[in-house]
Amino acid sequence: MSEHRRKAPQPQGGGRAAARRAAQQPAGRRTDAPRRATQESPSAAHGEEPSYGGRAEARRAAQRGGGSRRRGGDDSGGHEGRGRSRADSGKKRFIDYPRAGKYGFRRWVPSWKLVSGLCLGFLGLMMGAAGLAYALVVPPEVNKLATAQNNVYYWADDTQMVATGGSVNRQEIEYAQIPPAMRNAVISAENKSFETDRGIDPMGIARAFWNMAKGGETQGGSTITQQYVKNSMLSQDQTLSRKFKELFITLKVGETVTKQKVMEGYLNVSYYGRGASGLQAAARAYYNKDATDLDASECAFLATLLKGASYYDPAGAPEVDSVKASAEANTERAKARWSWILDEEVKDGTLSAAKRATFDTFPMPMQPKKDAKLGGQTGYLVDLATKYFLAHNEEGVTEKELARGGYEIHTTFEKKKVESLEKSVNKIYKAKIDPEKRPDKDTHVQFGGASVDTKTGAIVATYGGQDATQHYTNNADATGAQVGSTFKPFVLAAAMQYGRRNPELGPDQGESERTPVSPKSIYNGDNKLKINKYDGTVWQNDDGKEWLQTNDGDHSYGDISLRYAMQQSANSPYVQLGMDVGTDKVKQAALAAGLRDDKYMANSKVPSFSIGTSSPSAIRMAGSYATFATSGKQREPFSVTEVKHDGAVIYQHDTETKPAFPSVVADNVTDVLKNVVEHGTGTPAQLPGRDVAGKTGTTDGNKSAWFVGYTPQLSTAVSMFRMDDDEKNKDRKFLEMYGTGDEESIHGASFPAKIWHDYMAEAVKGSKVVNFPKPEPYGDTVFGGGAVSPSPTPSPKPSPSESSETPTTPPPTPSSPTPTPSETCQPLDWECRNDQNGGATDGNGNGGTTDGSTDGGTDAGTTDGGTDTGTSEGTTDGTNEGNNNGRGGIFGGG
């Protein structure tokens, strides 16, 4: 075989393994071995490259550095290869990324030079942009912001009610006219470093975060300069671009505007509430004096308002029926911050401790003044709509922004209904209330009212007082007047929905085994009845004395049905029923109907809770009764349908319907309340030809009286009470109404029911006649409060299914009274008892009603039948001796 076709011999030294070992040796040692191998190898003459175990091995050897990949075997060739490799690896790039000479993940990790270079470049760009922005921004001119548009309020039919609220009262003063005490108070409260900072205070921001984390009183993180800039900008949008713009303007103002001008501008443009922008306007609005005449204590209070007038104005700024910003809560907050500001001034050395000690009484401001065009009911309506919108808008519109104007507020109020409700109240004032004739009886008489559309919850009318510019408290909102027996429908609803606990099974099992209660259930209606816990033990008060529940007029009814007890407004059956069901369940039913669990909801752990110790507003009572009118569907009362700003809709009401009670429960409650109007204490509220359901309410000591009632379309509540009208008085108390209006006592069936009737007769005129659904029988006939069960026990009525929206079987109603009542009525014959308490032959079972006898009168027995339409101990001639024989028990009667 020829020489050139022979198989190439393997390199000396062990083949691939030797190559690997050679590659692992230092470069100096590796260069000799190949050279020796080349000299000794017969194949060297043919120019063949020695093998190192394949290409992969060659690459690895090349990466480990040196001449393992050089071609040729002489020394000069090896040195030249190494030189070229080093020259290539040392070549510089402007941006060394991915990094040369690095392998694996290190190749992608940027060097510190690259990172620092990028940071410096970015910082340079930012500084350039900031410098450009700084050069372009222009500090705000306060004078250009002094103009404001009106806010326009509309009736429900979109006709204009009033244009107001946007004419901001801004009165500018110069720095010299600002009291030093005001400047000191603001600096101590808002920005201690004001005199030395450059508009931005990083330490102040950090301090604010730290104090907030500790839960303590804080200064704002913003400086006075920042707040001045923010208050001077028309836009209050919480956007990033606005924040940047505000920052640059603040920096420029801090460098170009003197501290005196900043303080002057800040106090002139800040909003203090009550439509007042600027210190001078605030001094007039709160203390009716010029800013120069303010003392240090008054200045500290006005500085308090800068934190948020809605929550620090002692006059309050509550939502509809809420206490978040009530007068009481605001006053407490204002006093605490006022005191803190004065203490801070002492720490800062701007107020002496001796002078501080003289300010031991909070400088209570005067009540807010109303615009003349907000007189009558208009001011109350505007107030309700404004606060409702501020509480419910999702755009975050604040009181300060609203005060700048330009808003269209479309309300739910119907002008004719508002005028009709006011007319009905004024009719009673004119005919019955005479403070000059009876100064100790007829002074400080107040009425409140609200009317709600049952299908939507829209508040169509309110009565807040005689004039919003004179009487500032809105009587349609919560006033503290307890609702009395108008609370009883919630007790009945709870008894039907949740059932009476089984007293024989003990506390644990008794809760789990409940019996739905029928309105036909029998309870003891005696006066001074011992009230038992559901386990049978007698309830005792805090003094350890047994609880004895009284009825209005101290009247005893014996064993009567819950239906008749509601009709006559007997207390003892419903107090005992509440205990059997659980007053917690009664409260749950009231909340489901639409009342709120706030400070106006009374203690639900005592028996009297069931007969109206709570004091919700007329708006809430009308709304909760509307839940019964709609077969158990609850809708929140509301006063604003839509709000526009600059032509764009920014708020629109969306009615939300919640299931409160099964329809069969709500319809049975309605039927019981319908019977109250047809045959009981509510007869003055009858509207001929229309279904009406309602309930009277009178409280202990005759300090308030209510009538709450509804048709299928409209629910209305009317309250009456006496309270000292000096709204500056901290200890205002409800006054008795014995002799008020020349009546021995005031009941829900008297003036409140009369007002309700007159208003509703006009309000429903021309509307379609709609009847209430006829309820299906529901629940078991139970016996409580010591009532004796006949033998055999009545079989329970079947409970209809919840899907029955249109009941077909009405419950039995009391039959017409017998012409000659007997003195030997059986204990459970409540129809016979109707006759005994009901006047003559055609007395409708309740004495002195429209069809009453001659002595009963033709107007619901009001002439000779007493003030409660012939209820309680009415004699056979239709009069009502029982109503006037006593002043009633605890929250007793209608």
Side-chain angles (χ1 to χ4, degrees):
M1 184 179 292
S2 63
E3 183 70 13
H4 70 276
R5 296 184 63 185
R6 291 179 186 170
K7 182 178 180 181
Q10 297 297 322
Q12 299 297 319
R16 294 183 180 179
R20 284 196 295 273
R21 287 193 295 271
Q24 294 170 358
Q25 292 176 358
R29 294 181 60 187
R30 289 198 304 270
T31 56
D32 292 335
R35 186 162 52 249
R36 287 195 299 270
T38 303
Q39 293 170 352
E40 296 172 1
S41 174
S43 62
H46 299 277
E48 294 181 7
E49 187 178 32
S51 172
Y52 292 98
R55 294 180 180 177
E57 181 61 32
R59 283 197 297 272
R60 286 193 291 272
Q63 291 172 358
R64 294 183 183 114
S68 60
R69 293 189 61 185
R70 64 180 179 271
R71 299 180 185 273
D74 62 317
D75 291 338
S76 63
H79 289 299
E80 289 176 2
R82 285 197 299 274
R84 285 195 301 271
S85 176
R86 290 171 180 171
D88 291 342
S89 63
K91 186 177 181 179
K92 299 296 183 179
R93 290 183 292 173
F94 182 71
I95 299 178
D96 184 22
Y97 192 81
R99 298 176 65 185
K102 300 293 183 180
Y103 306 98
F105 77 92
R106 295 182 180 86
R107 178 176 172 84
W108 303 99
V109 177
S111 66
W112 68 270
K113 294 180 180 179
L114 182 60
V115 173
S116 59
L118 289 174
C119 289
L120 289 173
F122 179 74
L123 183 60
L125 288 175
M126 291 297 295
M127 291 179 65
L132 180 61
Y134 180 83
L136 292 177
V137 296
V138 178
E141 295 183 31
V142 178
N143 290 335
K144 291 183 178 180
L145 306 180
T147 58
Q149 306 174 60
N150 281 328
N151 290 324
V152 183
Y153 292 78
Y154 294 89
W155 295 103
D157 61 1
D158 288 332
T159 58
Q160 183 172 317
M161 179 195 303
V162 66
T164 186
S167 52
V168 176
N169 178 18
R170 178 180 286 111
Q171 301 173 38
E172 296 182 30
I173 56 177
E174 297 179 355
Y175 182 82
Q177 296 174 286
I178 299 173
M182 186 66 192
R183 303 197 298 266
N184 295 334
V186 171
I187 290 174
S188 292
E190 303 289 336
N191 182 196
K192 292 179 181 291
S193 64
F194 172 71
E195 297 292 350
T196 57
D197 64 43
R198 296 193 175 189
I200 302 294
D201 182 15
M203 291 300 296
I205 296 174
R207 184 168 54 250
F209 273 109
W210 175 249
N211 287 341
M212 183 172 62
K214 293 191 302 181
E217 183 68 59
T218 67
Q219 292 174 241
S222 299
T223 64
I224 289 175
T225 307
Q226 284 177 278
Q227 294 180 63
Y228 161 61
V229 170
K230 181 172 63 176
N231 292 343
S232 300
M233 297 175 68
L234 284 174
S235 173
Q236 296 294 313
D237 299 334
Q238 299 299 314
T239 61
L240 191 60
S241 61
R242 190 195 71 81
K243 292 289 186 182
F244 271 113
K245 186 177 181 181
E246 179 184 310
L247 174 63
F248 292 129
I249 292 177
T250 300
L251 290 171
K252 192 155 191 176
V253 168
E255 292 294 331
T256 61
V257 182
T258 66
K259 292 294 184 180
Q260 290 186 356
K261 282 295 182 183
V262 170
M263 178 63 76
E264 175 187 310
Y266 174 59
L267 294 179
N268 275 328
V269 79
S270 293
Y271 185 69
Y272 295 80
R274 301 190 182 183
S277 284
L279 179 62
Q280 174 63 16
R284 282 291 177 185
Y286 287 91
Y287 294 110
N288 196 29
K289 60 173 64 175
D290 291 328
T292 54
D293 298 329
L294 294 170
D295 62 30
S297 178
E298 293 165 340
C299 287
F301 166 71
L302 294 181
T304 293
L305 296 171
L306 296 174
K307 193 174 178 68
S310 295
Y311 291 93
Y312 289 90
D313 183 353
E319 307 162 14
V320 176
D321 209 6
S322 175
V323 296
K324 289 183 179 179
S326 65
E328 295 84 355
N330 279 14
T331 301
E332 183 178 350
R333 278 190 290 264
K335 286 182 177 180
R337 186 162 176 82
W338 161 81
S339 179
W340 175 80
I341 290 175
L342 291 175
D343 292 340
E344 289 297 305
E345 290 185 72
V346 174
K347 293 179 183 178
D348 296 338
T350 57
L351 180 69
S352 68
K355 186 68 173 177
R356 167 66 180 93
T358 63
F359 300 133
D360 56 348
T361 303
F362 179 71
M364 182 66 71
M366 64 184 185
Q367 285 294 323
K369 295 181 179 179
K370 296 287 186 178
D371 192 330
K373 55 189 170 185
L374 296 178
Q377 298 306 304
T378 304
Y380 301 122
L381 301 177
V382 166
D383 188 57
L384 282 175
T386 299
K387 290 166 183 174
Y388 183 88
F389 168 62
L390 290 175
H392 293 84
N393 80 90
E394 296 181 355
E395 296 291 324
V397 177
T398 64
E399 180 187 4
K400 179 169 62 178
E401 291 174 289
L402 189 64
R404 289 191 173 120
Y407 292 85
E408 294 181 15
I409 296 95
H410 295 260
T411 75
T412 60
F413 307 126
E414 298 182 21
K415 185 176 182 180
K416 288 185 178 180
K417 287 183 173 64
V418 171
E419 292 175 345
S420 178
L421 183 55
E422 183 178 29
K423 179 181 177 182
S424 300
V425 174
N426 289 339
K427 182 179 178 181
I428 293 295
Y429 269 123
K430 184 177 180 180
K432 295 292 186 178
I433 309 302
D434 191 345
E436 294 184 0
K437 185 176 181 179
R438 293 178 293 273
D440 59 333
K441 305 295 184 183
D442 286 9
T443 55
H444 311 309
V445 174
Q446 296 291 330
F447 292 95
S451 191
V452 172
D453 186 321
T454 60
K455 302 299 181 184
T456 64
I459 305 170
V460 297
T462 66
Y463 181 85
Q466 289 184 290
D467 193 323
T469 62
Q470 299 175 19
H471 173 75
Y472 303 124
T473 301
N474 188 345
N475 294 342
D477 209 336
T479 61
Q482 294 174 330
V483 296
S485 292
T486 60
F487 205 80
K488 289 175 182 174
F490 306 127
V491 184
L492 180 59
M496 296 183 71
Q497 181 168 3
Y498 302 112
R500 186 183 75 163
R501 296 172 289 187
N502 189 337
E504 299 178 358
L505 299 180
D508 297 329
Q509 295 184 5
E511 284 286 347
S512 60
E513 185 176 317
R514 290 174 173 267
T515 303
V517 175
S518 166
K520 296 180 181 180
S521 297
I522 309 301
Y523 267 72
N524 190 337
D526 286 346
N527 187 54
K528 296 184 178 180
L529 180 71
K530 290 182 179 180
I531 300 301
N532 297 330
K533 300 178 183 179
Y534 89 95
D535 61 2
T537 60
V538 178
W539 177 274
Q540 295 181 341
N541 61 20
D542 294 337
D543 297 329
K545 296 181 180 179
E546 293 181 343
W547 184 278
L548 301 177
Q549 181 58 55
T550 59
N551 292 322
D552 186 31
D554 293 330
H555 183 66
S556 290
Y557 295 92
D559 294 349
I560 56 176
S561 72
L562 295 176
R563 179 184 179 89
Y564 185 70
M566 186 78 77
Q567 174 184 317
Q568 297 299 102
S569 201
N571 289 333
S572 50
Y574 277 92
V575 172
Q576 185 59 62
L577 178 64
M579 296 299 289
D580 292 348
V581 175
T583 51
D584 60 327
K585 296 297 184 183
V586 174
K587 178 179 179 179
Q588 193 171 332
L591 296 178
L595 299 189
R596 284 181 170 173
D597 192 6
D598 52 23
K599 75 170 188 175
Y600 299 108
M601 181 68 73
N603 179 9
S604 61
K605 297 181 179 180
V606 295
S608 59
F609 176 75
S610 294
I611 48 174
T613 54
S614 298
S615 53
S617 69
I619 292 173
R620 284 283 149 189
M621 288 302 291
S624 63
Y625 269 48
T627 301
F628 297 126
T630 55
S631 297
K633 299 178 180 65
Q634 191 270 333
R635 301 176 180 94
E636 281 291 296
F638 68 100
S639 57
V640 177
T641 57
E642 185 180 78
V643 177
K644 296 180 180 180
H645 188 246
D646 293 333
V649 176
I650 63 171
Y651 171 79
Q652 199 161 32
H653 176 76
D654 183 20
T655 297
E656 181 180 358
T657 301
K658 300 177 183 177
F661 307 108
S663 59
V664 67
V665 170
D667 291 342
N668 269 278
V669 172
T670 291
D671 189 66
V672 171
L673 297 181
K674 180 182 175 183
N675 183 64
V676 172
V677 174
E678 291 178 348
H679 304 300
T681 60
T683 53
Q686 293 176 354
L687 299 174
R690 290 186 181 271
D691 275 1
V692 175
K695 185 69 187 76
T696 54
T698 307
T699 57
D700 186 33
N702 208 214
K703 293 179 180 179
S704 64
W706 289 72
F707 186 82
V708 187
Y710 53 95
T711 66
Q713 302 104 319
L714 203 61
S715 178
T716 301
V718 177
S719 65
M720 178 181 177
F721 55 91
R722 286 183 66 213
M723 178 184 280
D724 182 4
D725 204 36
D726 181 6
E727 294 172 274
K728 295 181 181 179
N729 185 358
K730 300 177 183 178
D731 301 318
R732 299 175 68 197
K733 295 181 179 179
F734 287 91
L735 307 175
E736 294 180 345
M737 293 189 292
Y738 296 113
T740 297
D742 205 24
E743 300 285 340
E744 286 198 38
S745 62
I746 300 298
H747 289 73
S750 55
F751 297 151
K754 178 64 176 174
I755 292 171
W756 189 97
H757 171 273
D758 291 350
Y759 161 71
M760 288 290 285
E762 290 294 322
V764 301
K765 185 181 294 184
S767 63
K768 182 180 179 180
V769 175
V770 181
N771 295 326
F772 292 122
K774 293 183 179 180
E776 297 181 4
Y778 183 80
D780 294 351
T781 301
V782 301
F783 292 78
V788 179
S789 174
S791 181
T793 302
S795 59
K797 299 291 183 181
S799 300
S801 64
E802 172 56 23
S803 60
S804 302
E805 290 295 328
T806 308
T808 57
T809 307
T813 55
S815 58
S816 301
T818 56
T820 54
S822 171
E823 294 295 330
T824 60
C825 294
Q826 297 300 314
L828 302 183
D829 191 353
W830 53 86
E831 294 176 3
C832 175
R833 291 178 180 276
N834 275 6
D835 299 337
Q836 284 189 317
N837 293 296
T841 304
D842 295 320
N844 273 349
N846 291 283
T849 61
T850 304
D851 297 323
S853 67
T854 303
D855 291 338
T858 59
D859 188 19
T862 55
T863 304
D864 294 324
T867 61
D868 202 14
T869 68
T871 61
S872 300
E873 293 182 331
T875 61
T876 56
D877 64 359
T879 60
N880 183 17
E881 298 172 359
N883 283 338
N884 301 322
N885 285 339
R887 296 190 173 185
I890 297 178
F891 304 100

